[in-house]
Amino acid sequence: MKERHQIAVRTLVDVVLRAGDLDMRFAVSGRPLEGIRVHQKIQRQRPDEYRAEVPVSMEVETADMVLVVAGRIDGVLETERGVIVEEIKSTTTDLKVIEKAQNPCHWGQAKVYAYLLAREQHLGTVTVRLTYCHLDTGDTVELVEVLTHDQLESFFQTLVDRYLKWATTLVRWRHIRDTAIDILDFPFTPYRTGQRAMAVSVYRTIRDGGQALIQASTGIGKTMAVLFPAIKTLGEGFTDRIFFLTARNTGKASAVKALNILQESGLRLKRVSLTAKDRICFCPDATCNPEVCEFARGHFDRLSAALDEAFVHDNLDSNTIEAVARSHRVCPFEFSLELSRWADCIICDYNYAFDPRVYLKRFFDEENGAYAFLVDEAHNLVDRSREMFSAHLNKSAFLSLRRAVKTHLPAVYRAAGKVNAWMLDARKKTQEAGGFQFENRLPDGLEPLLRGFLRVSERWLARNQSTPYREIVLERYFETSGFLRVWDQYDDSYVTCRQITGKDIQLKLFCLDPSGHLNLALRRSRSAIFFSATMAPAPYFKEILGCAPTAAMLAIPSPFPRKHLKVLIASGVSTYYAHREQSVDRIVALVRSFIHSKKGNYLCFFPSYEYMTMVVERFKEHEKDVQVMVQAREMDETGRTQFLDRFSAQNHQTLVGFAVMGGIFGEGIDLVGERLSGAIIVGVGLPAICPERDLIRSYFDGRGAGFDFAYRFPGINRVLQAAGRVIRTDQDRGALLLVDQRFCRSTYLGLLPDHWATAIIGSERQLEDRLKRFWSSGD
């Protein structure tokens, strides 16, 4: 049976007809809802006989495959003179410029739709109408061409013939890929304890098109246990493409490492790792201006040759992408996005699947395939999704803009001034209310001011003039555009916050409950696997991540000997904010007793930098022969690496690293064996009390879970992530000390892992005795 290869009309046209420069200096793409409304308005204005959103499709059979071309026509009108096929486009570009430009891709879409309808209804001629509507003025222009069936067929056949080169290559590749996947075995034998159960659950979930939340202890081999079965479902046709979604570069590295191991075992799989534009761009100051950037100039003319060379490689990592892009002089970032269209597995940040501002529209709006989402370290998605679905504006930003453009752009200056004046009034009211206000509705009077600012900014930005103040106009434009995108989806899960900071005021549309928005985003996938070492309590994550009621929940216990981890709880220590200064001496004493039990390397985690600093200063007064490393507030990749490199198994002195929970050392690091002997966790990890957290608490109080959802559950996950640094392999042995009297309460004890054998100690002497027995006997 021949493989069926489906492609959207728009994708077909874009792939074949794009040519010339890549010009991203300024293109209006941030007003999709207005575009939809324009489409609907024009469709409603047409005669009663007009049919909107008419589906059409056609199968083209070749020796290797069946190509299915499908799409929806914006409108079809049957008149006495014949049939009109209409394609509608919304724009902010001057209509006279558009009429002169004759966009080949827009005409290509309209002609393909016309041919598919002509073939279906046996039409001799079709009137093709390309209608543009200006978003700001509402003016329209209609470009019309009458084409015969033969002309349309010739155009379509030429288009398809050019595309079939790629499609045939893909079909033949997939045969090679699927054959290799079919005989691929799990690379490690035997499976680690619990790893097989996890892999089976993932396979069944993706096969059946469902969702699963899986908590698996650190060291079980989660990444391989997720990727291997997902790849098997790809080879068997249950999914079209795998998206490995992660919040950190360490997650990307784990996925790449697992795929490399599978490749050594015989896997054939095209995989692309997407890198942020600012990290991969060859000309970061050129803003994709073809007049300045040689890689943007003529990009599409050289793209096909670059794709041909890249397709030879299975592992399309950033180094490979950059090398091929430089060789063919194409933009590396846009090239990576184009490569993702042909990839079997895409490794990328959460944003590319969930963020309404930057998600990959080429997949989720145009193609709608049977995709599998593998969400790595899924506990991070809760706060990340709140950020994605929230937006804010600052008064100071508009004031700075006005100062920059005052003598240059009077229209932009005035429009920004109106927004600034509104914010000034809001600041006065917020000051009178004590510096913070919130309301469960959108603010009055602001929307038309923001949309007015966008309109005048667009008119100037569209000229693409290089000026010293262009960047600040562009920043405010996209910031405002993103704010209005969130404005358009504002519902009961939002609250509007106003907060004074110094002389500035911030207006924020804050998403309290991201579950509904995540639920909509998850519909872009056929299946989704959420996995992490800390997914407890599972019902909390199931609800807050917007999962379906039928989503499976699985907890894989630790595969490592229970006796290898000693977990102690120090009672009688309060780490509440008001008690922190009094607790410092006791914490220092506990740390000293803990590290003196065995020479080694230790990590000590705190809920804040301030608290950590207080303890570090006192600790250094008592310990002169201990190496001390302290996490800095701003730490780049080099600093992070230098910090971790100090944790060597060959250290001759005891080393203590001080870090914050939830930070760069709180998860995603591997210090195996003697590189880490133990960890001390001070506090229960609660996020800092702030107005926003309290609003989350109030929102969920109605469900009886306010404090848990806002504070306790996020806190305990920070604790468990930090604790997970201690035991990484079945050979590791380590100790863990939890410092806070709240750990003795059932509400917190019940959230700790079942495989932890916890013991409460009341003094430093008890701590020393327990640890000496542990290190001497291993019991």
Side-chain angles (χ1 to χ4, degrees), residues 462-477:
R463 300 175 189 172
N464 286 308
Q465 296 175 350
S466 179
T467 67
Y469 46 85
R470 175 180 170 76
E471 194 61 32
I472 192 170
V473 179
L474 199 62
E475 287 176 2
R476 292 295 79 72
Y477 173 84

Side-chain angles (χ1 to χ4, degrees), residues 41-52 76-79 84 86 129 142:
K41 180 181 178 182
I42 292 174
Q43 289 166 339
R44 286 195 300 268
Q45 290 173 344
R46 298 308 187 204
D48 293 341
E49 297 80 13
Y50 185 92
R51 291 183 293 140
V76 175
L77 179 62
E78 297 180 13
T79 70
I84 300 172
E86 182 171 48
R129 183 164 70 198
E142 296 178 357

